[in-house]
Amino acid sequence: MTEASGAAVTDADAGPGALDVLVLGSGVAGLSAAVRLAAPLADSGAGGSALGTGLRVGVLTKAELSQSATRWAQGGVAAVLGGDEDSTDLHLADTLAAGAGLCDADAVRVLVDEGPARVQELIAMGAVFDRQPGGALALAREGGHSTARVVHAGGAATGAEVERALVGATRSSAAAVLEEWFALDLIVEGGRCRGVRALSAEGRTVEVRAHHTVLATGGAGQLFAVTTNPAEATADGLAMALRAGVPVADVEFMQFHPTALHHPAMPRPLLSEALRGHGALLRDDHGDRFVDELAPRDVVSRAMAERMRRHGVDSLWLDATGLESFDARFPTIATSLRAIGLDPSVDWLPIAPAAHYLSGGVITDLSGATALPGLWAAGEVACTGVHGANRLASNSLLEGMVFGARLAESILAGDEGPSPTGVLGAYLESDREPVAPDRAAPWAAPLADGPADAVVSSSDVSKTRELLQRHMIEGAGVVRSAGTLSTAGVAIDAIGDALGGSTPVDRAHGELSNLVTTARSLLSAAVLRCETRGAHARSDYPEASEAWRRRIVHTVGGVSVLGSAVGSAPDGRRPSAAEPSDR
Ligand code: SIN
């Protein structure tokens, strides 16, 4: 832990308000908020507002500051930076189409309009993006984008560069940086969030009190046995919100990345979508192409899962042999492939889909405020509505920087609670149809039979986590059904029962408990949603249903379905079929 002088990280007997803002998590969303709140920065010259006023900000992270999913992000940041034929309207249309009818159009408008200024601010902060020989930013194309608009760094090491710039700025501006601390639960008093109870790096239970608390804890890829996410992605913020009854939506939409390297290493090394944007081809076990490589991710992953099932194989191929200058354009990927004996200029690369990104999360307004005053959320933990049922490639770093900055501006402006805008506005204004417990978790009915290995000792946390991950990939992977979801539901309930409800004694136990909480919510939403939409594919309901253009919300009273349909249906450009295109 490092603390600047005057920082106040307190034991339980200290009064409230010790920090102005406590940020949980150290990825792009959390650190974008932290640096904006903590210290004045040079004006970007890109029309950004005045940055930072020196609030006392603490950043709490369960690992080192630089260890977040952001660091692993490869492809880049989708942002319309001008000087080409692209327009923010086109970026908006692509995002809505990828989101399969569940995006909040106001949130997407904010995303695409404010993204370019946030990228310019990062550049002013020292982030170095790849440029063409003439000096213009180099732009890549990825799946679902109708044009090349993705800025990138180090070829496919964009997240690492973004994180480098933000970590430096955070270390020099935050009042307290609490590394290796683990947040256990939100402190809610008088209808307001007032910080968290946490395990300190030394293992003491401590209250960290703050006037505002920002959830920026990232995603939930560790729910699944096959994932691109680092070991830290255990849905901690989402689970804390669920336990506190803060509304959470869209958690059934776990996006599987189509091209994770099929390799024993876990997390699975990612072969960036930018490779396909550059011309790499997907081939099945016979060497045939079978899908448009630049279709949105959900379409590609589903086509791959179907092909693998029909052909009885557990991997397919990415053929990047035709790419010019692979090593120069993608140096980090080339190095990691060569380290395991693969030469992308001659070898086809074995791939399979892997859990990658949770499109849903804690519901926010357009400024990142949640329904609980004093609690804000940004990045993968949040449901701002920009991703809908399936995130467009390279919109995630963008979302983190845009909404991290917006919540900071809102706090600086003195806002204390949510406004009726964005997904939160729709939630507050909509009727809600409560879902009876036997519909939300039908496996809890007496007739359900659980797998024999479901009851495990809670003392073996790491084995139990692996068991949970196996059940989730089998039951709630790329393609689910009522049957597979119910089998997983029985198993996860048994794991939850074995774990008990006691306060976690260490981080491993706390993470497992958070995974169980989140798994239950995901399974409930997935069994309720009787359709195929975006990243949620049901073999027993293979079509999208207009009646289901609604959000499923978890809140203090249980699960409910919002009465109002979301926005408008996706425009006609979303591919319904996934035939290979001429390339
Ligand atoms: C990729 O480079 O394929 C991943 C980037 C993203 O998830 O948007």
Side-chain angles (χ1 to χ4, degrees):
M1 163 180 159
T2 56
E3 278 187 49
S5 61
V9 176
T10 67
D11 282 338
D13 55 354
L19 289 164
D20 294 317
V21 185
L22 172 64
V23 176
L24 305 175
S26 64
V28 61
L31 298 192
S32 294
V35 295
R36 215 173 181 89
L37 289 159
L41 298 172
D43 194 300
S44 69
S49 53
L51 299 181
T53 58
L55 294 184
R56 290 194 308 166
V57 176
V59 178
L60 184 155
T61 173
K62 64 183 179 179
E64 283 179 29
L65 201 59
S66 59
Q67 174 62 12
S68 70
T70 292
R71 197 178 96 182
W72 299 77
Q74 294 191 354
V77 187
V80 176
L81 287 158
D84 56 54
E85 82 281 11
D86 196 3
S87 79
T88 50
D89 287 354
L90 204 50
H91 186 189
L92 180 132
D94 289 346
T95 302
L96 294 179
L102 277 196
C103 292
D104 182 275
D106 293 342
V108 179
R109 174 51 74 191
V110 164
L111 180 82
V112 300
D113 283 354
E114 296 185 9
R118 301 292 86 82
V119 173
Q120 297 291 3
E121 282 170 8
L122 266 181
I123 292 171
M125 207 184 283
V128 179
F129 293 101
D130 297 334
R131 293 188 180 265
Q132 297 167 15
L137 284 166
L139 302 177
R141 186 166 174 197
E142 295 182 6
H145 290 273
S146 49
T147 187
R149 63 165 73 93
V150 177
V151 295
H152 45 87
T158 313
E161 180 58 12
V162 168
E163 189 73 5
R164 185 191 65 74
L166 285 169
V167 164
T170 301
R171 286 210 188 277
S172 60
S173 62
V177 175
L178 308 173
E179 294 171 291
E180 313 286 344
W181 284 49
F182 183 72
L184 293 167
D185 263 314
L186 302 174
I187 301 172
V188 182
E189 289 169 352
R192 183 179 176 95
C193 182
R194 299 191 181 276
V196 295
R197 259 176 294 282
L199 287 172
S200 73
E202 296 76 35
R204 280 186 312 133
T205 303
V206 174
E207 289 192 350
V208 185
R209 288 182 168 263
H211 191 63
H212 297 280
T213 303
V214 177
L215 289 177
T217 44
Q222 288 289 322
L223 282 171
F224 294 90
V226 180
T227 179
T228 63
N229 288 192
E232 289 81 13
T234 51
D236 303 322
L238 194 70
M240 284 193 282
L242 285 162
R243 285 195 289 271
V246 183
V248 162
D250 295 354
V251 288
E252 62 275 36
F253 299 110
M254 169 57 77
Q255 179 179 79
F256 282 73
H257 195 294
T259 55
L261 191 67
H262 186 68
H263 182 264
M266 199 59 71
R268 287 272 161 93
L270 187 63
L271 300 180
S272 174
E273 188 148 340
L275 295 170
R276 278 174 282 138
H278 230 55
L281 303 175
L282 292 170
R283 297 191 186 279
D284 69 10
D285 50 314
H286 301 149
D288 296 330
R289 289 178 65 206
F290 58 95
V291 65
D292 176 0
E293 286 82 358
L294 288 183
R297 251 174 222 174
D298 58 329
V299 174
V300 179
S301 285
R302 209 150 55 234
M304 289 176 66
E306 175 56 15
R307 185 67 45 141
M308 287 158 65
R309 189 190 61 78
R310 270 204 277 137
H311 290 202
V313 294
D314 61 2
S315 63
L316 299 170
W317 300 102
L318 184 69
D319 172 6
T321 56
L323 266 61
E324 282 177 17
S325 325
F326 191 109
D327 289 44
R329 171 67 180 82
F330 301 104
T332 47
I333 298 179
T335 304
S336 57
L337 288 174
R338 289 214 158 78
I340 53 171
L342 289 168
D343 177 352
S345 68
V346 293
D347 296 320
W348 289 358
L349 309 171
I351 48 159
H356 184 61
Y357 191 90
L358 189 64
S359 291
V362 184
I363 292 179
T364 71
D365 69 9
L366 291 180
S367 296
T370 74
L372 177 65
L375 183 69
W376 309 73
E380 192 170 349
V381 70
C383 177
T384 60
V386 301
H387 306 312
N390 172 62
R391 173 174 68 81
L392 182 66
S394 284
N395 266 356
S396 54
L397 293 177
L398 185 71
E399 185 200 27
M401 27 182 114
V402 167
F403 285 88
R406 280 180 78 85
L407 75 81
E409 293 295 337
S410 202
I411 289 172
L412 290 169
D415 294 342
E416 291 289 338
S419 63
T421 59
V423 178
L424 186 57
Y427 166 76
L428 294 172
E429 282 156 16
S430 179
D431 299 336
R432 290 163 222 157
E433 180 202 319
V435 176
D438 63 338
R439 274 184 69 215
W443 44 86
L447 289 181
D449 284 323
D453 64 349
V455 179
V456 294
S457 160
S458 63
S459 60
D460 193 339
V461 169
S462 128
K463 278 211 186 85
T464 309
R465 175 164 159 164
E466 284 171 22
L467 184 67
L468 174 145
Q469 292 168 328
R470 280 205 306 279
H471 282 297
M472 288 298 286
I473 199 86
E474 280 161 21
V478 177
V479 181
R480 307 100 183 243
S481 69
T484 66
L485 290 163
S486 288
T487 303
V490 172
I492 302 303
D493 278 359
I495 291 171
D497 291 349
L499 205 57
S502 55
T503 305
V505 290
D506 58 23
R507 172 177 151 184
H509 188 223
E511 287 181 335
L512 179 58
S513 162
N514 291 338
L515 288 170
V516 169
T517 302
T518 307
R520 283 178 155 151
S521 301
L522 189 156
L523 294 171
S524 275
V527 84
L528 281 171
R529 186 172 286 284
C530 294
E531 65 161 354
T532 288
R533 179 184 298 278
H536 171 73
R538 289 274 301 254
S539 57
D540 43 354
Y541 293 95
E543 303 298 330
S545 156
E546 185 55 19
W548 270 108
R549 197 153 50 74
R550 289 177 160 69
R551 292 193 204 288
I552 296 171
V553 177
H554 297 260
T555 185
V556 75
V559 186
S560 54
V561 180
L562 297 195
S564 318
V566 178
S568 56
D571 72 21
R573 289 183 305 100
R574 179 165 236 275
S576 51
E579 294 305 311
S581 57
D582 290 341
R583 303 197 78 197

